[in-house]
């Protein structure tokens, strides 16, 4: 099956800093999504981005499908950005394979 | 707008007892439905998915089963829980645009 590697595994920032999270995958995909899991366990869909670039407020994501990676950018980080960020990929219509996530801690 | 709910939110069950977790989606029809488990260490493991009523695909052989008795209802069950079944269980749905949306999750502790 597809392998998904996320880096870094842990990241600590001061409020206001910028960060880049990376997701590498081992095979061609036609589905790639980024999620944020808050400290209470709720998983929120951030982006559906199998290719190209999208932006939503302080967050943006870029996927270069031909080189098998995706990047999630967080600008001007806030304490509410803390949590685990997951990348998930799929090559069929129904199933996603999740990476192990990046644990982000934003300190005030 | 679409919403997804799952319950119960938390439960503590003795080894050998049965389990039933329920998930319901509102505001859409014929969704794809999923059950995931998240153990300590963060990774999400896909347990079951369903593309229609009565259609269940199992990803991991284990002590659990799933059923989809109605279009927007997905149930995770076990006849006899094991200690290793403890974890955080998440239900999700996706539609024609393939984005997955998750429920609030259910914390299961088997004692």
């Amino acid at each position: 099956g597809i392998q998904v590697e996320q880096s870094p595994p842990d990241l600590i920032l001061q409020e206001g800093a910028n960060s880049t999270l990376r997701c590498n995958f081992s095979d061609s995909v036609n589905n790639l999504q980024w999620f944020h899991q808050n400290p209470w366990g709720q998983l929120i869909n951030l982006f559906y981005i199998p290719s190209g670039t999208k932006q939503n407020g302080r967050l943006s994501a870029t996927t270069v499908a031909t080189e098998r990676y995706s990047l999630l950018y967080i600008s001007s980080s806030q304490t509410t950005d803390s949590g685990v960020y997951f990348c998930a990929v799929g090559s069929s219509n129904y199933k996603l394979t999740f990476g192990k996530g990046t644990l982000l801690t934003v300190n005030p | 707008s679409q919403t997804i709910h799952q319950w119960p939110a938390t439960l503590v069950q003795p080894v050998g007892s049965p389990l039933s977790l329920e998930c319901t989606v509102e505001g859409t029809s014929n969704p794809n439905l999923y059950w995931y488990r998240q153990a300590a260490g963060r990774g999400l493991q896909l347990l079951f998915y369903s593309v229609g009523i009565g259609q269940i695909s199992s990803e991991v052989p284990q002590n659990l089963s799933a059923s989809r008795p109605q279009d927007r209802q997905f149930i995770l069950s076990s006849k006899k829980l094991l200690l290793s079944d403890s974890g955080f269980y998440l239900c999700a749905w996706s539609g024609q645009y393939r984005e997955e949306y998750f429920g609030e999750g259910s914390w299961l502790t088997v004692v």
Side-chain angles (χ1 to χ4, degrees):
Chain A
I2 298 175
Q3 304 298 312
V4 183
E5 293 186 4
Q6 291 187 243
S7 59
D10 301 275
L11 183 60
I12 300 175
L13 301 174
Q14 287 299 122
E15 205 167 22
N18 302 327
S19 61
T20 301
L21 282 57
R22 187 177 179 102
C23 172
N24 292 331
F25 43 95
S26 62
D27 206 345
S28 300
V29 300
N30 55 20
N31 187 349
L32 189 146
Q33 300 180 39
W34 283 96
F35 297 87
H36 174 226
Q37 187 171 37
N38 65 25
W40 297 270
Q42 179 69 50
L43 266 163
I44 304 297
N45 191 302
L46 299 176
F47 294 105
Y48 170 72
I49 186 167
S51 63
T53 297
K54 288 186 177 180
Q55 182 161 4
N56 184 2
R58 295 181 296 104
L59 302 180
S60 63
T62 295
T63 297
V64 184
T66 53
E67 298 187 19
R68 299 181 184 172
Y69 74 89
S70 182
L71 302 173
L72 178 68
Y73 305 96
I74 305 174
S75 64
S76 304
S77 57
Q78 302 175 359
T79 56
T80 53
D81 295 330
S82 295
V84 182
Y85 289 81
F86 288 102
C87 169
V89 304
S91 59
S92 70
N93 283 334
Y94 311 123
K95 298 187 295 182
L96 290 177
T97 299
F98 281 73
K100 292 187 180 298
T102 292
L103 175 60
L104 175 64
T105 302
V106 181
N107 292 319
Chain B
S1 64
Q2 302 90 354
T3 58
I4 178 171
H5 300 288
Q6 64 176 105
W7 65 92
T10 60
L11 65 167
V12 179
Q13 296 284 103
V15 169
S17 64
L19 170 73
S20 180
L21 301 179
E22 188 166 341
C23 173
T24 299
V25 181
E26 298 176 357
T28 187
S29 59
N30 196 30
N32 297 325
L33 297 172
Y34 310 85
W35 278 111
Y36 291 87
R37 177 168 58 201
Q38 185 176 31
R42 307 203 299 243
L44 271 78
Q45 180 185 40
L46 178 63
L47 302 176
F48 301 94
Y49 69 94
S50 172
V51 301
I53 296 174
Q55 300 179 57
I56 309 294
S57 295
S58 174
E59 289 296 296
V60 182
Q62 58 206 333
N63 187 40
L64 303 170
S65 62
S67 62
R68 184 170 177 173
Q70 301 180 39
D71 181 45
R72 292 171 290 176
Q73 184 185 28
F74 205 24
I75 297 172
L76 183 69
S77 304
S78 173
K79 293 182 178 178
K80 290 185 177 181
L81 284 168
L82 306 172
L83 287 173
S84 57
D85 292 324
S86 294
F88 188 49
Y89 289 83
L90 289 151
C91 180
W93 74 274
S94 68
Q96 60 175 325
Y97 298 111
R98 304 179 66 190
E99 298 174 50
E100 284 195 21
Y101 297 94
F102 283 81
E104 306 93 335
S106 299
W107 294 94
L108 170 64
T109 303
V110 182
V111 297

